[in-house]
């Protein structure tokens, strides 16, 4: 029973294979073109196959540099998600993997840049050696071209004793190539998870070296170091005959001295569109940064959770979306993503922030949520908000059955969803494709339930009043407790409401048996498309992916689980 899961995950594989296929096609096609193209015949005499290696990797480098900025254009991704032109179902879910694709393309850039640099090191050495006394025959004749008037050179290294490194750094291609390489190394090394967690500002600053990277890339080819024979020269100079009669060049009518020129730079053509698109993206972000954010309410919850209610002119959202928050009092560079916990029907938007790092801890302290008195409204630090942006959870209402699973603070994306369900159920005229919601929350600290229990209680009451108790099935699991809590739970076990949450549905103690849970859901909905939405740690994510694969039917008419993970 794995057919549908393979389709869901396979589309990611198709995307990767398509990207690899285009890269391989571009590389192989360009490689053989430079190996066989007549205008580069004399260039190959000096450089051999490393010419083709350098040019093929350069084209793939341009292709990947064209792609690298598109996945991080959040407004573009959100726009595509919100339009009808975006394919529904599995293809739509690929938009949620934009950062993974961004990283994949970055690896492609690194690989092709390495091939390009290594190939050109060999090219430079061969250029230099062809000027030595050991170079004989056609190789020596080609290297000496350009020493007399009315001749164009083929070999940019003009004398053998010349220091190739020094000579290279006197050229546009050499200087920009060095800058591109250093920028790429800096960006790649500072993008590791360790660096991002240890110093986000370092990651942010070094990542913006991409501006220098793209500027250098755009002008890199203007040096035109790698040269080929001109078309006019090819029409007069018969290579098949003249390559064996190089000593008779200019004395034989059909063998005039060949003329050479550099290839026109093309990198700027590849990257111009994406760079303009990303520039528009940053202009939109800057405009949003300038808009005033009014903080209307601050609530300090147990377990180090800060709730902020805010208002902003023209702000519109959908359940499951997220925003980027900046606090200039802490850092003028750092923007952190937080899922919205308010519903679109409310006249404010809210986030719940848990202290899980230096920045979030500093934010809670700035708002007085760390055991201090909450700050007066006029003393609150200024926040900037960018967004909202679409995320996987916005697709919950597109399935007849949805399974929502949260671990710890990962419950925040589902707050907006459950609130929205509450409002939609209150509006009798609102038709819903969604007919059943299973909600699971796994948490180790009983105090963390307090801020979310009120929402579940109001939703439970509303469903009961409207006779829709079957619509929402929720399961809360507590994985951590001490001896006093265990005794308190045992003493109140027979009460009508749960001692932890105050809900009619009792809290479970321990971890869910996902095999049993998925088996029961599959049995209850034998011919349904079921969306599984998760926000939490990677280990549990892998388990849930396995369950989706295990309990999806190979029969197209059977039950199908579609896995979606919340990511920023």
């Amino acid at each position: 029973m794995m057919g549908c899961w393979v389709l869901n995950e396979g589309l990611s594989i198709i995307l990767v294979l398509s990207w690899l296929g285009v890269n391989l096609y571009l590389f192989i096609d360009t490689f053989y073109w430079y190996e066989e193209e007549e205008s580069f015949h004399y260039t190959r005499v000096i450089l051999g196959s490393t010419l083709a290696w350098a040019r093929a990797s350069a084209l793939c480098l341009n292709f990947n540099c064209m792609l690298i900025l598109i996945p991080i254009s959040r407004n573009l991704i959100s726009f595509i998600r919100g339009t009808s032109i975006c394919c529904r179902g599995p293809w739509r879910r690929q938009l949620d993997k934009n950062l993974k694709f961004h990283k994949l393309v970055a690896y492609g850039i690194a690989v092709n840049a390495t091939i390009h640099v290594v190939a050109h090191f060999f090219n430079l050495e061969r250029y230099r050696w062809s000027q030595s006394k050991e170079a004989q025959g056609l190789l020596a004749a080609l290297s000496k071209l350009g020493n007399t008037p009315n001749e164009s050179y083929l070999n940019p290294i003009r004398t053998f004793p010349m220091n190739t490194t020094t000579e290279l750094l006197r050229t546009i291609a050499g200087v920009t190539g060095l800058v591109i390489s250093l920028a790429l190394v800096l960006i790649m090394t500072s993008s590791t998870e360790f660096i991002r967690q240890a110093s986000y500002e370092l990651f942010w600053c070094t990542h913006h070296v991409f501006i220098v990277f793209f500027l250098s890339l755009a002008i890199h080819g203007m040096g035109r170091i790698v040269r080929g024979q001109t078309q006019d020269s090819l029409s007069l100079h018969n290579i098949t005959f003249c390559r064996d009669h190089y000593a008779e060049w200019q004395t034989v009518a059909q063998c005039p001295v060949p003329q050479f020129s550099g290839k026109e730079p093309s990198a700027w053509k590849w990257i111009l569109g994406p760079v303009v698109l990303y520039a528009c993206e940053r202009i939109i972000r800057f405009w949003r940064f300038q808009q005033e954010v009014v903080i209307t309410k601050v609530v300090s919850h147990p377990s180090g959770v800060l709730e902020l209610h805010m208002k902003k002119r023209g702000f519109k959202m959908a359940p499951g979306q997220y925003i980027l928050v900046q606090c200039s009092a802490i850092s003028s560079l750092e923007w952190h993503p937080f899922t919205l916990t308010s519903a679109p029907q409310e006249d404010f938007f809210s986030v719940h922030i848990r202290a899980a790092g230096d920045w979030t801890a500093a934010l809670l302290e700035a708002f007085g949520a760390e055991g201090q008195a909450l700050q007066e409204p006029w003393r609150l630090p200024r926040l900037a908000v960018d967004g909202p942006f679409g995320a996987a959870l916005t697709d919950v209402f597109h399935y007849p059955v949805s399974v929502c699973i949260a671990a710890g603070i990962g419950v925040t994306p589902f707050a907006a969803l459950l609130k929205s369900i509450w409002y939609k159920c209150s509006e009798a005229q609102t038709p819903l494709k969604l007919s059943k919601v299973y909600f699971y929350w796994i948490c180790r600290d009983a105090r963390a339930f307090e801020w979310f229990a009120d929402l579940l209680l109001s939703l439970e009451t509303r469903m009961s009043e409207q006779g829709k108790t079957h619509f929402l099935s929720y399961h809360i699991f507590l994985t951590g407790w001490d001896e006093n809590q265990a005794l308190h739970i045992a003493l109140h076990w027979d009460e009508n409401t749960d001692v932890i949450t105050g809900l009619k549905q009792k809290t479970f103690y321990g971890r869910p048996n996902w095999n049993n849970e998925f088996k029961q859901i599959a049995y209850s909905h034998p011919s349904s498309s079921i969306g599984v939405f998760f926000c939490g740690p990677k280990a549990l994510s892998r388990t849930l992916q396995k369950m989706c694969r295990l309990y999806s039917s190979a029969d197209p008419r059977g039950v199908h689980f579609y896995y979606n993970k919340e990511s920023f």
Side-chain angles (χ1 to χ4, degrees), residues 237-284:
H237 183 98
N238 188 338
I239 290 180
T240 305
F241 174 79
C242 297
R243 64 187 177 188
D244 298 322
H245 299 81
Y246 57 88
E248 301 173 14
W249 285 356
Q250 207 169 13
T251 61
V252 177
Q254 59 182 332
C255 291
V257 175
Q259 300 297 316
F260 301 93
S261 65
K263 197 174 186 301
E264 288 189 6
S266 61
W268 67 271
K269 300 176 184 178
W270 288 85
I271 64 175
L272 179 62
V275 166
V276 171
L277 181 69
Y278 190 73
C280 294
E281 171 86 9
R282 297 311 294 258
I283 291 170
I284 293 172

Tab-separated table of all heavy atoms in Angstrom, residues 237-284:
chain	number	residue	atom	x	y	z
A	237	HIS	N	40.326	30.741	-44.590
A	237	HIS	CA	41.396	29.867	-44.095
A	237	HIS	C	40.865	28.438	-44.026
A	237	HIS	O	40.057	28.102	-43.156
A	237	HIS	CB	41.845	30.363	-42.708
A	237	HIS	CG	42.988	29.601	-42.132
A	237	HIS	ND1	44.295	30.035	-42.218
A	237	HIS	CD2	43.035	28.432	-41.448
A	237	HIS	CE1	45.089	29.183	-41.604
A	237	HIS	NE2	44.334	28.192	-41.126
A	238	ASN	N	41.352	27.582	-44.918
A	238	ASN	CA	40.919	26.178	-44.953
A	238	ASN	C	41.666	25.388	-43.889
A	238	ASN	O	42.823	24.990	-44.080
A	238	ASN	CB	41.198	25.595	-46.343
A	238	ASN	CG	40.603	24.206	-46.499
A	238	ASN	OD1	40.339	23.510	-45.528
A	238	ASN	ND2	40.409	23.797	-47.764
A	239	ILE	N	40.979	25.135	-42.765
A	239	ILE	CA	41.644	24.484	-41.622
A	239	ILE	C	42.136	23.098	-41.986
A	239	ILE	O	43.256	22.701	-41.610
A	239	ILE	CB	40.677	24.415	-40.413
A	239	ILE	CG1	40.457	25.810	-39.846
A	239	ILE	CG2	41.236	23.483	-39.340
A	239	ILE	CD1	39.531	25.846	-38.667
A	240	THR	N	41.343	22.339	-42.731
A	240	THR	CA	41.716	20.962	-43.063
A	240	THR	C	43.075	20.911	-43.776
A	240	THR	O	43.901	20.026	-43.513
A	240	THR	CB	40.637	20.321	-43.949
A	240	THR	OG1	39.367	20.425	-43.306
A	240	THR	CG2	40.955	18.852	-44.211
A	241	PHE	N	43.316	21.872	-44.656
A	241	PHE	CA	44.585	21.915	-45.386
A	241	PHE	C	45.664	22.675	-44.616
A	241	PHE	O	46.813	22.221	-44.507
A	241	PHE	CB	44.355	22.578	-46.758
A	241	PHE	CG	45.621	22.797	-47.530
A	241	PHE	CD1	46.229	21.756	-48.215
A	241	PHE	CD2	46.220	24.062	-47.562
A	241	PHE	CE1	47.409	21.975	-48.929
A	241	PHE	CE2	47.390	24.276	-48.265
A	241	PHE	CZ	47.988	23.227	-48.951
A	242	CYS	N	45.270	23.821	-44.054
A	242	CYS	CA	46.264	24.743	-43.487
A	242	CYS	C	46.877	24.268	-42.181
A	242	CYS	O	47.994	24.668	-41.845
A	242	CYS	CB	45.629	26.123	-43.288
A	242	CYS	SG	45.084	26.905	-44.828
A	243	ARG	N	46.163	23.424	-41.424
A	243	ARG	CA	46.734	22.989	-40.139
A	243	ARG	C	47.993	22.148	-40.344
A	243	ARG	O	48.832	22.039	-39.439
A	243	ARG	CB	45.693	22.193	-39.344
A	243	ARG	CG	45.271	20.891	-39.994
A	243	ARG	CD	44.116	20.247	-39.248
A	243	ARG	NE	43.659	19.029	-39.923
A	243	ARG	CZ	42.578	18.358	-39.567
A	243	ARG	NH1	41.822	18.813	-38.571
A	243	ARG	NH2	42.229	17.264	-40.208
A	244	ASP	N	48.109	21.531	-41.513
A	244	ASP	CA	49.310	20.734	-41.803
A	244	ASP	C	50.367	21.539	-42.556
A	244	ASP	O	51.468	21.032	-42.819
A	244	ASP	CB	48.930	19.501	-42.638
A	244	ASP	CG	47.980	18.579	-41.893
A	244	ASP	OD1	48.162	18.435	-40.670
A	244	ASP	OD2	47.060	18.013	-42.519
A	245	HIS	N	50.017	22.790	-42.930
A	245	HIS	CA	50.963	23.634	-43.665
A	245	HIS	C	51.124	24.984	-42.946
A	245	HIS	O	51.104	26.036	-43.565
A	245	HIS	CB	50.470	23.853	-45.111
A	245	HIS	CG	50.345	22.593	-45.899
A	245	HIS	ND1	49.255	21.757	-45.799
A	245	HIS	CD2	51.208	22.011	-46.802
A	245	HIS	CE1	49.422	20.718	-46.613
A	245	HIS	NE2	50.610	20.845	-47.232
A	246	TYR	N	51.280	24.907	-41.624
A	246	TYR	CA	51.369	26.132	-40.835
A	246	TYR	C	52.609	26.956	-41.185
A	246	TYR	O	52.617	28.177	-41.011
A	246	TYR	CB	51.363	25.791	-39.337
A	246	TYR	CG	52.460	24.855	-38.907
A	246	TYR	CD1	53.714	25.331	-38.531
A	246	TYR	CD2	52.244	23.483	-38.867
A	246	TYR	CE1	54.715	24.473	-38.142
A	246	TYR	CE2	53.240	22.614	-38.470
A	246	TYR	CZ	54.470	23.112	-38.105
A	246	TYR	OH	55.471	22.257	-37.721
A	247	ALA	N	53.640	26.295	-41.701
A	247	ALA	CA	54.862	27.034	-42.067
A	247	ALA	C	54.644	27.881	-43.317
A	247	ALA	O	55.428	28.803	-43.593
A	247	ALA	CB	56.014	26.063	-42.293
A	248	GLU	N	53.582	27.588	-44.076
A	248	GLU	CA	53.327	28.296	-45.326
A	248	GLU	C	52.197	29.319	-45.194
A	248	GLU	O	51.712	29.828	-46.202
A	248	GLU	CB	52.982	27.279	-46.428
A	248	GLU	CG	54.068	26.258	-46.669
A	248	GLU	CD	53.625	25.173	-47.639
A	248	GLU	OE1	52.589	25.366	-48.309
A	248	GLU	OE2	54.304	24.136	-47.708
A	249	TRP	N	51.760	29.550	-43.949
A	249	TRP	CA	50.698	30.531	-43.764
A	249	TRP	C	51.144	31.881	-44.331
A	249	TRP	O	52.289	32.312	-44.136
A	249	TRP	CB	50.359	30.688	-42.278
A	249	TRP	CG	49.558	29.526	-41.723
A	249	TRP	CD1	49.078	28.468	-42.417
A	249	TRP	CD2	49.211	29.335	-40.361
A	249	TRP	NE1	48.436	27.603	-41.573
A	249	TRP	CE2	48.491	28.118	-40.296
A	249	TRP	CE3	49.424	30.042	-39.192
A	249	TRP	CZ2	47.989	27.613	-39.105
A	249	TRP	CZ3	48.915	29.549	-38.005
A	249	TRP	CH2	48.200	28.349	-37.960
A	250	GLN	N	50.272	32.524	-44.996
A	250	GLN	CA	50.429	33.849	-45.596
A	250	GLN	C	51.193	33.787	-46.924
A	250	GLN	O	51.146	34.733	-47.709
A	250	GLN	CB	51.135	34.838	-44.639
A	250	GLN	CG	50.757	36.289	-44.907
A	250	GLN	CD	51.246	37.200	-43.799
A	250	GLN	OE1	52.045	36.825	-42.960
A	250	GLN	NE2	50.738	38.421	-43.780
A	251	THR	N	51.851	32.665	-47.178
A	251	THR	CA	52.518	32.526	-48.474
A	251	THR	C	51.653	31.748	-49.457
A	251	THR	O	51.857	31.832	-50.666
A	251	THR	CB	53.868	31.800	-48.298
A	251	THR	OG1	53.642	30.496	-47.760
A	251	THR	CG2	54.795	32.594	-47.396
A	252	VAL	N	50.722	30.986	-48.929
A	252	VAL	CA	49.798	30.225	-49.769
A	252	VAL	C	48.451	30.948	-49.730
A	252	VAL	O	47.963	31.337	-48.655
A	252	VAL	CB	49.645	28.770	-49.262
A	252	VAL	CG1	48.618	28.013	-50.103
A	252	VAL	CG2	50.993	28.075	-49.279
A	253	ALA	N	47.813	31.103	-50.872
A	253	ALA	CA	46.580	31.902	-50.974
A	253	ALA	C	45.462	31.371	-50.093
A	253	ALA	O	44.705	32.150	-49.498
A	253	ALA	CB	46.127	31.947	-52.441
A	254	GLN	N	45.345	30.050	-50.035
A	254	GLN	CA	44.251	29.482	-49.251
A	254	GLN	C	44.585	29.368	-47.764
A	254	GLN	O	43.785	28.842	-47.005
A	254	GLN	CB	43.877	28.105	-49.810
A	254	GLN	CG	45.017	27.109	-49.807
A	254	GLN	CD	44.585	25.794	-50.427
A	254	GLN	OE1	43.420	25.434	-50.387
A	254	GLN	NE2	45.533	25.084	-51.029
A	255	CYS	N	45.760	29.863	-47.363
A	255	CYS	CA	46.139	29.797	-45.938
A	255	CYS	C	46.585	31.158	-45.415
A	255	CYS	O	47.753	31.329	-44.984
A	255	CYS	CB	47.258	28.780	-45.724
A	255	CYS	SG	46.747	27.072	-45.967
A	256	PRO	N	45.716	32.157	-45.418
A	256	PRO	CA	46.074	33.415	-44.746
A	256	PRO	C	46.194	33.184	-43.243
A	256	PRO	O	45.683	32.201	-42.708
A	256	PRO	CB	44.906	34.339	-45.084
A	256	PRO	CG	43.751	33.422	-45.301
A	256	PRO	CD	44.327	32.184	-45.928
A	257	VAL	N	46.884	34.080	-42.574
A	257	VAL	CA	47.049	33.938	-41.118
A	257	VAL	C	45.663	33.973	-40.460
A	257	VAL	O	44.885	34.891	-40.715
A	257	VAL	CB	47.937	35.064	-40.557
A	257	VAL	CG1	47.996	34.974	-39.033
A	257	VAL	CG2	49.326	34.976	-41.159
A	258	PRO	N	45.316	32.965	-39.644
A	258	PRO	CA	43.985	32.945	-39.010
A	258	PRO	C	43.818	34.100	-38.025
A	258	PRO	O	44.779	34.511	-37.357
A	258	PRO	CB	43.944	31.595	-38.298
A	258	PRO	CG	45.377	31.225	-38.080
A	258	PRO	CD	46.131	31.802	-39.246
A	259	GLN	N	42.612	34.617	-37.972
A	259	GLN	CA	42.297	35.711	-37.058
A	259	GLN	C	41.370	35.193	-35.943
A	259	GLN	O	40.487	34.372	-36.199
A	259	GLN	CB	41.606	36.854	-37.812
A	259	GLN	CG	42.443	37.446	-38.931
A	259	GLN	CD	43.718	38.093	-38.410
A	259	GLN	OE1	43.693	38.811	-37.404
A	259	GLN	NE2	44.848	37.856	-39.099
A	260	PHE	N	41.588	35.707	-34.732
A	260	PHE	CA	40.853	35.192	-33.572
A	260	PHE	C	40.179	36.327	-32.800
A	260	PHE	O	40.642	37.471	-32.832
A	260	PHE	CB	41.803	34.438	-32.631
A	260	PHE	CG	42.494	33.277	-33.293
A	260	PHE	CD1	43.745	33.436	-33.875
A	260	PHE	CD2	41.882	32.040	-33.346
A	260	PHE	CE1	44.382	32.371	-34.495
A	260	PHE	CE2	42.507	30.966	-33.958
A	260	PHE	CZ	43.760	31.134	-34.534
A	261	SER	N	39.117	35.980	-32.126
A	261	SER	CA	38.433	36.945	-31.246
A	261	SER	C	37.798	36.180	-30.092
A	261	SER	O	37.539	34.973	-30.192
A	261	SER	CB	37.361	37.728	-32.016
A	261	SER	OG	36.326	36.861	-32.435
A	262	GLY	N	37.549	36.907	-29.006
A	262	GLY	CA	36.932	36.296	-27.838
A	262	GLY	C	35.422	36.162	-28.000
A	262	GLY	O	34.784	36.934	-28.723
A	263	LYS	N	34.855	35.167	-27.322
A	263	LYS	CA	33.410	34.948	-27.372
A	263	LYS	C	32.698	36.022	-26.556
A	263	LYS	O	33.151	36.393	-25.479
A	263	LYS	CB	33.080	33.559	-26.815
A	263	LYS	CG	31.697	33.059	-27.178
A	263	LYS	CD	31.514	31.617	-26.699
A	263	LYS	CE	30.196	31.038	-27.177
A	263	LYS	NZ	29.034	31.777	-26.746
A	264	GLU	N	31.576	36.509	-27.071
A	264	GLU	CA	30.830	37.537	-26.351
A	264	GLU	C	30.324	36.994	-25.009
A	264	GLU	O	29.866	35.859	-24.936
A	264	GLU	CB	29.640	38.012	-27.184
A	264	GLU	CG	30.029	38.858	-28.379
A	264	GLU	CD	28.811	39.476	-29.046
A	264	GLU	OE1	27.699	39.326	-28.507
A	264	GLU	OE2	28.983	40.102	-30.112
A	265	PRO	N	30.390	37.814	-23.954
A	265	PRO	CA	29.900	37.352	-22.646
A	265	PRO	C	28.399	37.109	-22.681
A	265	PRO	O	27.652	37.862	-23.306
A	265	PRO	CB	30.262	38.502	-21.701
A	265	PRO	CG	30.404	39.697	-22.587
A	265	PRO	CD	30.911	39.190	-23.901
A	266	SER	N	27.957	36.046	-22.023
A	266	SER	CA	26.533	35.700	-22.042
A	266	SER	C	25.940	35.516	-20.647
A	266	SER	O	24.725	35.356	-20.513
A	266	SER	CB	26.324	34.417	-22.852
A	266	SER	OG	27.036	33.335	-22.273
A	267	ALA	N	26.768	35.528	-19.610
A	267	ALA	CA	26.258	35.266	-18.258
A	267	ALA	C	25.172	36.256	-17.869
A	267	ALA	O	24.169	35.884	-17.250
A	267	ALA	CB	27.400	35.311	-17.249
A	268	TRP	N	25.332	37.526	-18.245
A	268	TRP	CA	24.363	38.556	-17.855
A	268	TRP	C	22.983	38.274	-18.443
A	268	TRP	O	21.962	38.626	-17.849
A	268	TRP	CB	24.853	39.938	-18.281
A	268	TRP	CG	24.905	40.147	-19.768
A	268	TRP	CD1	25.950	39.876	-20.611
A	268	TRP	CD2	23.862	40.663	-20.602
A	268	TRP	NE1	25.632	40.189	-21.903
A	268	TRP	CE2	24.354	40.676	-21.939
A	268	TRP	CE3	22.572	41.122	-20.355
A	268	TRP	CZ2	23.593	41.126	-23.007
A	268	TRP	CZ3	21.810	41.578	-21.426
A	268	TRP	CH2	22.308	41.574	-22.735
A	269	LYS	N	22.957	37.625	-19.618
A	269	LYS	CA	21.668	37.305	-20.236
A	269	LYS	C	20.904	36.269	-19.409
A	269	LYS	O	19.677	36.294	-19.354
A	269	LYS	CB	21.878	36.785	-21.654
A	269	LYS	CG	22.562	37.768	-22.585
A	269	LYS	CD	22.823	37.145	-23.954
A	269	LYS	CE	23.587	38.094	-24.863
A	269	LYS	NZ	23.886	37.473	-26.184
A	270	TRP	N	21.637	35.353	-18.778
A	270	TRP	CA	21.004	34.315	-17.965
A	270	TRP	C	20.457	34.879	-16.663
A	270	TRP	O	19.386	34.465	-16.192
A	270	TRP	CB	22.014	33.214	-17.656
A	270	TRP	CG	22.380	32.351	-18.812
A	270	TRP	CD1	23.335	32.596	-19.742
A	270	TRP	CD2	21.801	31.091	-19.156
A	270	TRP	NE1	23.395	31.568	-20.656
A	270	TRP	CE2	22.474	30.632	-20.322
A	270	TRP	CE3	20.804	30.296	-18.592
A	270	TRP	CZ2	22.155	29.409	-20.931
A	270	TRP	CZ3	20.493	29.082	-19.196
A	270	TRP	CH2	21.146	28.663	-20.350
A	271	ILE	N	21.178	35.800	-16.060
A	271	ILE	CA	20.819	36.215	-14.699
A	271	ILE	C	20.029	37.513	-14.637
A	271	ILE	O	19.506	37.865	-13.569
A	271	ILE	CB	22.086	36.355	-13.830
A	271	ILE	CG1	22.989	37.482	-14.364
A	271	ILE	CG2	22.823	35.039	-13.736
A	271	ILE	CD1	24.193	37.771	-13.495
A	272	LEU	N	19.906	38.222	-15.760
A	272	LEU	CA	19.247	39.530	-15.730
A	272	LEU	C	17.802	39.430	-15.234
A	272	LEU	O	17.390	40.182	-14.345
A	272	LEU	CB	19.286	40.173	-17.123
A	272	LEU	CG	18.613	41.547	-17.233
A	272	LEU	CD1	19.308	42.555	-16.328
A	272	LEU	CD2	18.607	42.032	-18.686
A	273	GLY	N	17.026	38.509	-15.810
A	273	GLY	CA	15.625	38.365	-15.417
A	273	GLY	C	15.443	38.051	-13.944
A	273	GLY	O	14.716	38.764	-13.229
A	274	PRO	N	16.083	36.977	-13.416
A	274	PRO	CA	15.951	36.666	-11.991
A	274	PRO	C	16.440	37.775	-11.067
A	274	PRO	O	15.871	37.991	-10.003
A	274	PRO	CB	16.806	35.403	-11.830
A	274	PRO	CG	16.805	34.777	-13.177
A	274	PRO	CD	16.795	35.913	-14.146
A	275	VAL	N	17.509	38.481	-11.472
A	275	VAL	CA	18.018	39.571	-10.630
A	275	VAL	C	17.002	40.706	-10.554
A	275	VAL	O	16.749	41.267	-9.469
A	275	VAL	CB	19.375	40.080	-11.163
A	275	VAL	CG1	19.743	41.408	-10.517
A	275	VAL	CG2	20.471	39.058	-10.895
A	276	VAL	N	16.385	41.051	-11.683
A	276	VAL	CA	15.341	42.087	-11.687
A	276	VAL	C	14.154	41.643	-10.838
A	276	VAL	O	13.600	42.422	-10.048
A	276	VAL	CB	14.890	42.401	-13.128
A	276	VAL	CG1	13.663	43.307	-13.132
A	276	VAL	CG2	16.025	43.057	-13.906
A	277	LEU	N	13.772	40.364	-10.985
A	277	LEU	CA	12.663	39.814	-10.191
A	277	LEU	C	12.967	39.895	-8.700
A	277	LEU	O	12.116	40.307	-7.896
A	277	LEU	CB	12.413	38.370	-10.606
A	277	LEU	CG	11.279	37.637	-9.888
A	277	LEU	CD1	9.931	38.226	-10.283
A	277	LEU	CD2	11.320	36.145	-10.217
A	278	TYR	N	14.195	39.528	-8.327
A	278	TYR	CA	14.561	39.554	-6.910
A	278	TYR	C	14.686	40.985	-6.403
A	278	TYR	O	14.374	41.257	-5.235
A	278	TYR	CB	15.871	38.802	-6.693
A	278	TYR	CG	16.187	38.593	-5.228
A	278	TYR	CD1	15.477	37.668	-4.477
A	278	TYR	CD2	17.176	39.338	-4.597
A	278	TYR	CE1	15.743	37.478	-3.137
A	278	TYR	CE2	17.460	39.161	-3.255
A	278	TYR	CZ	16.736	38.226	-2.531
A	278	TYR	OH	17.002	38.050	-1.196
A	279	ALA	N	15.114	41.900	-7.265
A	279	ALA	CA	15.181	43.313	-6.869
A	279	ALA	C	13.776	43.828	-6.546
A	279	ALA	O	13.584	44.561	-5.558
A	279	ALA	CB	15.813	44.145	-7.978
A	280	CYS	N	12.792	43.439	-7.353
A	280	CYS	CA	11.393	43.813	-7.066
A	280	CYS	C	10.950	43.205	-5.740
A	280	CYS	O	10.225	43.847	-4.957
A	280	CYS	CB	10.481	43.339	-8.192
A	280	CYS	SG	10.771	44.157	-9.771
A	281	GLU	N	11.375	41.969	-5.485
A	281	GLU	CA	11.059	41.299	-4.217
A	281	GLU	C	11.589	42.112	-3.033
A	281	GLU	O	10.885	42.332	-2.047
A	281	GLU	CB	11.699	39.904	-4.232
A	281	GLU	CG	11.651	39.151	-2.913
A	281	GLU	CD	10.366	38.385	-2.712
A	281	GLU	OE1	9.576	38.281	-3.658
A	281	GLU	OE2	10.153	37.899	-1.592
A	282	ARG	N	12.822	42.580	-3.133
A	282	ARG	CA	13.415	43.337	-2.031
A	282	ARG	C	12.779	44.714	-1.895
A	282	ARG	O	12.684	45.245	-0.775
A	282	ARG	CB	14.931	43.467	-2.237
A	282	ARG	CG	15.669	42.147	-2.224
A	282	ARG	CD	15.309	41.270	-1.036
A	282	ARG	NE	15.729	41.825	0.214
A	282	ARG	CZ	16.822	41.424	0.892
A	282	ARG	NH1	17.572	40.455	0.404
A	282	ARG	NH2	17.133	41.972	2.025
A	283	ILE	N	12.346	45.303	-2.985
A	283	ILE	CA	11.647	46.594	-2.913
A	283	ILE	C	10.323	46.424	-2.161
A	283	ILE	O	9.963	47.257	-1.314
A	283	ILE	CB	11.410	47.162	-4.324
A	283	ILE	CG1	12.743	47.585	-4.945
A	283	ILE	CG2	10.450	48.353	-4.286
A	283	ILE	CD1	12.648	47.939	-6.410
A	284	ILE	N	9.617	45.334	-2.456
A	284	ILE	CA	8.356	45.054	-1.743
A	284	ILE	C	8.625	44.859	-0.259
A	284	ILE	O	7.895	45.368	0.600
A	284	ILE	CB	7.676	43.806	-2.339
A	284	ILE	CG1	7.213	44.100	-3.764
A	284	ILE	CG2	6.493	43.367	-1.488
A	284	ILE	CD1	6.702	42.878	-4.510
